[in-house]
Amino acid sequence: MTLTDTIVVTVTPEYLPQQSVPEDNRYVFAYHIRILNTGLQAATLRSRHWFITDGNNNVQEVKGDGVVGEQPTILPGGHFRYSSGAVLSTRVGSMRGYYVMEADDGTLFHATIPVFTLASPNALN
């Protein structure tokens, strides 16, 4: 098992109708992340790299240190949860990416954020 395999990322997306304005092509989504460390050593989330794709196949890249202002250290068997958001100009889109993690021994590795769909209600039939 590689270090990459020891971090399991799950995502729950949520459409936010109260913040969206469909007539202005503004669709707002929250996404709730759970990062689980199944490995034998602690790992610190150093940075993130997202690819946000709208329904017109326009891709926006987002990079930055940590998540929600933190660089959490996740102990073996432990997890970290946070929520964030994205705004699309289309009813449907997707996100994917990775976190750069640092193991306790100083090894840097990527933890994959699997692709997930952002969709307003009834956008996918």
Side-chain angles (χ1 to χ4, degrees), residues 13-15 29 88 91-93 117-124:
E14 175 186 8
Y15 177 64
F29 300 89
L88 297 181
R91 294 175 60 194
V92 177
T117 301
L118 302 170
S120 64
N122 304 314
L124 300 173

Side-chain angles (χ1 to χ4, degrees), residues 23-125:
E23 54 273 14
D24 292 339
N25 295 318
R26 178 182 165 83
Y27 300 88
V28 181
F29 300 89
Y31 51 90
H32 311 285
I33 305 276
R34 182 176 187 256
I35 306 167
L36 174 66
N37 182 351
T38 64
L40 300 177
Q41 60 179 310
T44 301
L45 192 158
R46 294 296 180 201
S47 64
R48 68 194 182 283
H49 192 154
W50 286 103
F51 300 92
I52 306 166
T53 305
D54 70 14
N56 296 321
N57 215 29
N58 296 313
V59 179
Q60 176 186 359
E61 281 189 68
V62 177
K63 299 179 187 181
D65 291 339
V67 290
V68 295
E70 297 184 52
Q71 290 186 324
T73 297
I74 307 168
L75 299 176
H79 68 272
F80 179 78
R81 293 179 187 265
Y82 75 96
S83 295
S84 192
V87 179
L88 297 181
S89 61
T90 59
R91 294 175 60 194
V92 177
S94 65
M95 291 180 65
R96 64 181 174 84
Y98 61 87
Y99 299 118
V100 175
M101 307 291 295
E102 183 177 355
D104 255 3
D105 66 6
T107 303
L108 293 176
F109 65 98
H110 287 184
T112 301
I113 305 164
V115 65
F116 59 95
T117 301
L118 302 170
S120 64
N122 304 314
L124 300 173
N125 292 326

